[in-house]
Coordinates of all heavy atoms in Angstrom, one line a residue:
F100 N -43.4 0.3 -3.7 CA -42.5 0.1 -2.6 C -41.9 1.4 -2.0 O -41.8 2.4 -2.7 CB -41.3 -0.8 -3.1 CG -41.7 -2.1 -3.6 CD1 -42.0 -2.3 -5.0 CD2 -41.9 -3.2 -2.7 CE1 -42.4 -3.6 -5.4 CE2 -42.3 -4.5 -3.2 CZ -42.6 -4.6 -4.6
C101 N -41.6 1.3 -0.8 CA -41.1 2.5 0.0 C -39.7 2.9 -0.6 O -38.8 2.1 -0.8 CB -40.9 2.1 1.4 SG -40.2 3.5 2.4
P102 N -39.6 4.2 -1.0 CA -38.4 4.7 -1.5 C -37.2 4.8 -0.5 O -36.1 5.0 -0.9 CB -38.7 6.1 -2.1 CG -39.9 6.5 -1.2 CD -40.6 5.3 -0.9
R103 N -37.6 4.7 0.8 CA -36.5 4.7 1.8 C -36.0 3.4 2.2 O -34.8 3.2 2.3 CB -37.1 5.4 3.1 CG -37.4 6.9 3.0 CD -38.0 7.4 4.3 NE -38.2 8.9 4.2 CZ -38.7 9.6 5.2 NH1 -39.2 8.9 6.3 NH2 -38.9 10.9 5.0
C104 N -36.9 2.4 2.3 CA -36.4 1.1 2.8 C -36.9 -0.1 2.0 O -36.5 -1.3 2.3 CB -36.9 0.9 4.3 SG -38.7 0.7 4.5
A105 N -37.6 0.2 0.9 CA -38.0 -0.8 -0.1 C -39.1 -1.8 0.4 O -39.4 -2.8 -0.3 CB -36.8 -1.6 -0.6
T106 N -39.7 -1.5 1.5 CA -40.8 -2.4 2.0 C -42.0 -2.1 1.2 O -42.2 -1.0 0.7 CB -41.1 -2.0 3.5 OG1 -39.9 -2.3 4.3 CG2 -42.3 -2.9 4.0
K107 N -42.8 -3.1 1.0 CA -44.0 -2.9 0.1 C -45.0 -2.0 0.9 O -45.3 -2.1 2.0 CB -44.7 -4.3 -0.1 CG -45.9 -4.1 -1.1 CD -46.4 -5.5 -1.5 CE -47.6 -5.3 -2.5 NZ -48.1 -6.6 -3.0
L108 N -45.5 -1.0 0.1 CA -46.4 0.0 0.7 C -47.8 -0.5 0.8 O -48.2 -1.4 0.1 CB -46.4 1.3 -0.2 CG -45.1 2.0 -0.3 CD1 -45.2 3.1 -1.4 CD2 -44.7 2.7 1.0
I109 N -48.6 0.0 1.8 CA -50.0 -0.3 1.9 C -50.8 1.0 1.9 O -50.2 2.1 2.1 CB -50.2 -1.1 3.3 CG1 -49.8 -0.2 4.5 CG2 -49.5 -2.4 3.3 CD1 -50.2 -0.8 5.8
M110 N -52.1 0.9 1.6 CA -52.9 2.1 1.5 C -53.1 2.7 2.9 O -53.3 1.9 3.9 CB -54.3 1.7 0.9 CG -54.2 1.3 -0.6 SD -53.4 2.6 -1.7 CE -54.6 4.0 -1.4
D111 N -53.0 4.0 3.0 CA -53.3 4.7 4.2 C -54.8 4.6 4.5 O -55.6 4.7 3.6 CB -52.8 6.1 4.1 CG -52.9 6.9 5.4 OD1 -52.0 6.8 6.2 OD2 -54.0 7.5 5.7
E112 N -55.1 4.5 5.8 CA -56.6 4.3 6.1 C -57.3 5.6 6.1 O -58.5 5.6 6.0 CB -56.7 3.7 7.5 CG -56.2 2.2 7.6 CD -56.4 1.6 9.0 OE1 -56.9 2.3 9.9 OE2 -56.0 0.5 9.2
A113 N -56.6 6.8 6.2 CA -57.3 8.0 6.3 C -57.2 8.9 5.1 O -58.1 9.6 4.7 CB -56.8 8.8 7.5
D114 N -56.0 8.9 4.4 CA -55.8 9.8 3.3 C -55.6 9.0 2.0 O -55.3 7.8 2.0 CB -54.5 10.6 3.6 CG -54.6 11.5 4.8 OD1 -55.7 12.0 5.1 OD2 -53.6 11.7 5.5
L115 N -55.6 9.8 0.9 CA -55.3 9.2 -0.4 C -53.7 9.2 -0.4 O -53.1 10.1 -0.9 CB -55.8 10.1 -1.5 CG -55.5 9.6 -2.9 CD1 -56.0 8.1 -3.1 CD2 -56.2 10.5 -3.9
A116 N -53.2 8.1 0.1 CA -51.7 8.0 0.3 C -51.4 6.5 0.5 O -52.3 5.7 0.8 CB -51.2 8.9 1.4
K117 N -50.1 6.2 0.4 CA -49.6 4.9 0.8 C -48.7 5.1 1.9 O -48.0 6.2 2.0 CB -49.0 4.2 -0.4 CG -49.9 3.9 -1.5 CD -49.2 3.1 -2.6 CE -50.2 2.8 -3.8 NZ -49.6 2.0 -4.8
V118 N -48.6 4.1 2.8 CA -47.7 4.2 4.0 C -46.8 3.0 4.1 O -47.3 1.9 3.7 CB -48.5 4.4 5.3 CG1 -49.4 3.3 5.5 CG2 -47.6 4.7 6.4
C119 N -45.6 3.2 4.5 CA -44.7 2.1 4.7 C -44.9 1.5 6.1 O -44.8 2.2 7.1 CB -43.2 2.5 4.5 SG -42.0 1.2 4.9
P120 N -45.3 0.2 6.2 CA -45.5 -0.4 7.5 C -44.2 -0.6 8.3 O -44.2 -0.8 9.5 CB -46.1 -1.7 7.2 CG -45.6 -2.1 5.8 CD -45.5 -0.7 5.1
S121 N -43.1 -0.4 7.6 CA -41.8 -0.6 8.3 C -41.2 0.7 8.9 O -41.0 0.8 10.1 CB -40.8 -1.2 7.4 OG -39.5 -1.3 8.0
C122 N -41.1 1.8 8.1 CA -40.5 3.0 8.5 C -41.5 4.2 8.7 O -41.1 5.2 9.1 CB -39.3 3.4 7.6 SG -39.9 4.0 6.0
G123 N -42.7 4.0 8.2 CA -43.8 5.0 8.4 C -43.8 6.0 7.3 O -44.6 7.0 7.4
H124 N -42.9 5.9 6.3 CA -42.9 6.9 5.2 C -44.3 7.0 4.5 O -44.8 5.9 4.2 CB -41.8 6.6 4.3 CG -41.8 7.5 3.0 ND1 -41.5 8.8 3.1 CD2 -42.2 7.2 1.7 CE1 -41.6 9.3 1.8 NE2 -42.0 8.4 1.0
H125 N -44.8 8.2 4.2 CA -46.0 8.3 3.5 C -45.7 8.8 2.0 O -44.9 9.6 1.8 CB -46.9 9.4 4.1 CG -47.7 8.9 5.3 ND1 -47.1 8.5 6.5 CD2 -49.0 8.7 5.4 CE1 -48.1 8.1 7.3 NE2 -49.2 8.2 6.7
Q126 N -46.3 8.1 1.1 CA -46.2 8.4 -0.3 C -47.5 8.9 -0.9 O -48.5 8.1 -1.0 CB -45.7 7.2 -1.1 CG -45.4 7.4 -2.6 CD -44.2 8.1 -2.8 OE1 -43.1 7.8 -2.3 NE2 -44.2 9.2 -3.6
Y127 N -47.6 10.2 -1.3 CA -48.8 10.7 -1.8 C -48.8 10.7 -3.4 O -47.7 10.6 -4.0 CB -49.0 12.2 -1.3 CG -49.2 12.2 0.2 CD1 -48.2 12.3 1.1 CD2 -50.6 12.2 0.6 CE1 -48.4 12.4 2.4 CE2 -50.8 12.2 2.0 CZ -49.7 12.3 2.9 OH -50.0 12.4 4.3
P128 N -49.9 10.9 -4.0 CA -49.9 10.9 -5.5 C -49.0 12.0 -6.0 O -49.0 13.1 -5.5 CB -51.4 11.3 -5.8 CG -52.2 10.6 -4.7 CD -51.3 10.8 -3.5
R129 N -48.3 11.7 -7.0 CA -47.2 12.6 -7.5 C -47.8 13.7 -8.4 O -48.7 13.4 -9.2 CB -46.2 11.8 -8.3 CG -45.1 12.6 -8.9 CD -44.1 11.7 -9.6 NE -43.0 12.5 -10.1 CZ -42.0 12.0 -10.9 NH1 -42.0 10.7 -11.1 NH2 -41.0 12.7 -11.3
L130 N -47.3 14.9 -8.2 CA -47.7 16.0 -9.1 C -46.4 16.6 -9.6 O -45.5 16.9 -8.8 CB -48.5 17.1 -8.4 CG -50.0 16.7 -8.1 CD1 -50.6 17.8 -7.4 CD2 -50.8 16.4 -9.4
S131 N -46.3 16.9 -10.9 CA -45.1 17.6 -11.5 C -45.5 18.9 -12.0 O -46.2 19.1 -13.0 CB -44.6 16.7 -12.6 OG -44.2 15.4 -12.2
P132 N -45.1 20.0 -11.3 CA -45.5 21.4 -11.7 C -44.8 21.8 -13.0 O -43.6 21.6 -13.1 CB -45.1 22.3 -10.5 CG -44.0 21.5 -9.8 CD -44.3 20.1 -10.0
C133 N -45.6 22.4 -13.9 CA -45.1 22.8 -15.2 C -45.7 24.2 -15.5 O -46.7 24.6 -14.9 CB -45.6 21.9 -16.3 SG -45.2 20.2 -16.1
I134 N -45.0 24.9 -16.3 CA -45.5 26.2 -16.9 C -45.9 26.0 -18.3 O -45.4 25.1 -19.0 CB -44.5 27.4 -16.7 CG1 -43.2 27.1 -17.5 CG2 -44.2 27.7 -15.3 CD1 -43.3 27.5 -19.0
I135 N -46.9 26.8 -18.7 CA -47.3 26.8 -20.1 C -47.6 28.2 -20.5 O -48.3 28.9 -19.7 CB -48.5 25.8 -20.4 CG1 -48.8 25.8 -22.0 CG2 -49.7 26.2 -19.6 CD1 -49.6 24.6 -22.4
V136 N -47.1 28.8 -21.6 CA -47.2 30.2 -21.8 C -47.4 30.6 -23.2 O -46.9 29.9 -24.2 CB -45.8 30.9 -21.3 CG1 -44.6 30.3 -22.0 CG2 -45.9 32.4 -21.5
L137 N -48.3 31.6 -23.4 CA -48.5 32.1 -24.7 C -47.8 33.5 -24.8 O -48.1 34.4 -23.9 CB -50.0 32.3 -25.0 CG -50.3 32.8 -26.4 CD1 -50.0 31.8 -27.5 CD2 -51.7 33.3 -26.5

Side-chain angles (χ1 to χ4, degrees):
F100 299 93
C101 177
R103 289 182 177 174
C104 68
T106 302
K107 187 172 183 178
L108 297 168
I109 60 175
M110 294 303 300
D111 186 87
E112 294 182 359
D114 298 325
L115 181 54
K117 296 183 180 183
V118 63
C119 176
S121 178
C122 71
H124 173 73
H125 279 69
Q126 183 73 51
Y127 292 89
R129 183 178 179 183
L130 288 177
S131 300
C133 307
I134 60 88
I135 185 164
V136 56
L137 184 70

